[in-house]
Amino acid sequence: MFNYKGLSEEQILALCKEDNVDRGKSTWKYWASEVYSFGKHYRNYGFYPEKKPLLVYSEHAVDNPNVGLNEIENDANAMLVFSKEKYDKYKKISNKPCYIITNPMVWYRKSNNIAQTGNAIGTLAFPVHSTPKTETIFDIKSYITDLKKMPENMQPVCVCLHMHDINNGQYKIFLDNNIPVYTAGNAYDIKFAQRFYNILKNFKFACSNTIGSYAYYSVEMGIPFSLFGKTPKYINIDDPNLSEGEYKIEEMDYYIKFCNLFNGIHTSITKEQQEHVMNRCCSPYGISRLKLFQILWTSYLKYKISKIFKQ
């Protein structure tokens, strides 16, 4: 039974440790197609062997519909996106074949009939996370104070931290302030989706101080999401997709739209929120499993043929 007491420090560190990562049986060609266990579920969805490399590129998150340089400057044979909005933007700047597909985490949840537990309580918070190329700055102690002041019917509040904030030691601040900590572990492990939903399903609500894929996964599963807390500062250290130095996410169109829908405390899901989420991560325009089968094998054969001609 889920006890809402969080994981031990030893468990937290072990889940994120590189030495413990299971990347599956295939060599990875493009990280964005594999991260967060995407590759495992793309292969399952497309009836594709787990030992074969994926030769297509993919969105790695749901939150930003804008096209990144890494999504253009690669030699993959095709691009997979999660929404028509992203598809339209991509086709304006690239002639590469592009296809809309249901987000692989969402497909994993649905295909395994994972649902919120009947006795779910409390709120799972997803504090903004850093990356090796971007720094996020916010007053963590003040954020913790705000979490503890959330309405009684939304308590207890636990946090789910990204592996980067486990590895940089940020988790200690939450533990020191009696906030239970969970993590889905290393983002490159094929069990990431399984671990993520095994945590999320036990909570009645979800929240964060910024936009993120977790918001879409929560609402898609039927869990109300609240954009709660002061917007953090973002500092670009070495990400070519972003301007140098501080960049203001609150000025970006997609974030403004998200704020209009999710800002403040929400204990139910509105029709507008539901439509926004469904359009961004499980579009009705998504390709079938047989179509993905065709795309993956076509991409693989093109790759093999190109290798032969280069010899």
Side-chain angles (χ1 to χ4, degrees):
M1 181 178 290
F2 201 81
N3 61 19
Y4 303 91
K5 294 181 179 180
L7 302 174
S8 69
E9 184 172 21
E10 183 180 10
Q11 290 172 318
I12 291 168
L13 294 173
L15 282 169
C16 297
K17 191 176 181 181
E18 186 65 28
D19 293 347
N20 295 335
V21 174
D22 180 359
R23 293 176 179 249
K25 298 181 179 180
S26 173
T27 300
W28 288 19
K29 176 69 172 172
Y30 307 110
W31 71 272
S33 304
E34 303 279 5
V35 71
Y36 302 122
S37 69
F38 279 17
K40 175 181 176 64
H41 306 306
Y42 277 142
R43 289 177 176 86
N44 286 340
Y45 189 81
F47 307 106
Y48 190 71
E50 60 181 338
K51 294 184 178 181
K52 295 289 185 185
L54 286 177
L55 282 309
V56 296
Y57 210 84
S58 165
E59 283 193 87
H60 79 281
V62 187
D63 54 345
N64 187 352
N66 296 320
V67 180
L69 288 178
N70 61 306
E71 296 172 333
I72 296 294
E73 298 176 352
N74 63 73
D75 60 356
N77 289 300
M79 177 71 186
L80 302 178
V81 300
F82 306 139
S83 69
K84 191 173 185 305
E85 181 182 7
K86 179 82 170 213
Y87 174 87
D88 291 340
K89 290 185 177 183
Y90 192 88
K91 294 306 293 181
K92 286 181 179 180
I93 55 179
S94 176
N95 293 321
K96 181 178 293 187
C98 182
Y99 305 93
I100 304 171
I101 190 168
T102 294
N103 179 284
M105 294 245 320
V106 172
W107 180 77
Y108 166 78
R109 184 198 73 76
K110 289 183 174 182
S111 62
N112 287 277
N113 298 313
I114 299 171
Q116 185 184 48
T117 60
N119 56 353
I121 62 170
T123 303
L124 187 61
F126 296 90
V128 60
H129 74 81
S130 61
T131 77
K133 295 184 178 182
T134 59
E135 181 183 3
T136 54
I137 301 173
F138 68 108
D139 188 334
I140 300 177
K141 288 188 177 180
S142 176
Y143 179 64
I144 289 172
T145 298
D146 289 341
L147 292 178
K148 290 182 176 181
K149 290 180 179 178
M150 291 187 81
E152 185 63 31
N153 66 321
M154 301 182 78
Q155 300 290 341
V157 177
C158 304
V159 296
C160 186
L161 299 182
H162 194 280
M163 72 172 189
H164 294 310
D165 296 322
I166 300 297
N167 294 333
N168 68 20
Q170 189 185 94
Y171 72 93
K172 294 180 181 180
I173 303 177
F174 290 96
L175 291 180
D176 290 344
N177 286 273
N178 300 312
I179 296 289
V181 174
Y182 293 95
T183 180
N186 197 293
Y188 302 112
D189 196 294
I190 59 173
K191 294 184 288 293
F192 184 90
Q194 176 184 350
R195 291 169 176 167
F196 177 86
Y197 282 111
N198 279 344
I199 299 167
L200 180 61
K201 69 181 182 181
N202 295 285
F203 289 86
K204 192 172 183 179
F205 308 105
C207 73
S208 178
N209 54 344
T210 193
I211 186 175
S213 296
Y214 40 75
Y216 294 87
Y217 298 149
S218 298
V219 174
E220 188 279 327
M221 194 179 181
I223 297 176
F225 180 86
S226 300
L227 185 59
F228 178 81
K230 188 176 180 180
T231 304
K233 289 184 178 180
Y234 292 80
I235 309 296
N236 180 23
I237 301 171
D238 189 33
D239 188 337
N241 296 298
L242 302 167
S243 57
E244 294 183 4
E246 182 178 353
Y247 61 99
K248 296 185 179 295
I249 191 172
E250 63 268 27
E251 296 178 358
M252 299 181 181
D253 290 344
Y254 73 93
Y255 188 73
I256 293 172
K257 183 176 181 179
F258 184 85
C259 286
N260 289 338
L261 290 170
F262 291 97
N263 200 33
I265 296 293
H266 295 272
T267 56
S268 61
I269 299 172
T270 68
K271 180 181 178 181
E272 292 76 17
Q273 289 174 342
Q274 184 73 22
E275 289 178 350
H276 175 72
V277 166
M278 300 304 282
N279 286 335
R280 284 291 291 121
C281 66
C282 36
S283 169
Y285 301 100
I287 59 174
S288 68
R289 298 184 70 181
L290 288 177
K291 181 62 178 179
L292 182 61
F293 172 87
Q294 177 190 358
I295 294 166
L296 295 182
W297 275 109
T298 298
S299 297
Y300 177 76
L301 293 174
K302 284 182 178 180
Y303 173 77
K304 296 297 287 185
I305 291 171
S306 69
K307 297 284 283 186
I308 292 173
F309 280 100
K310 287 180 180 179
Q311 294 177 353

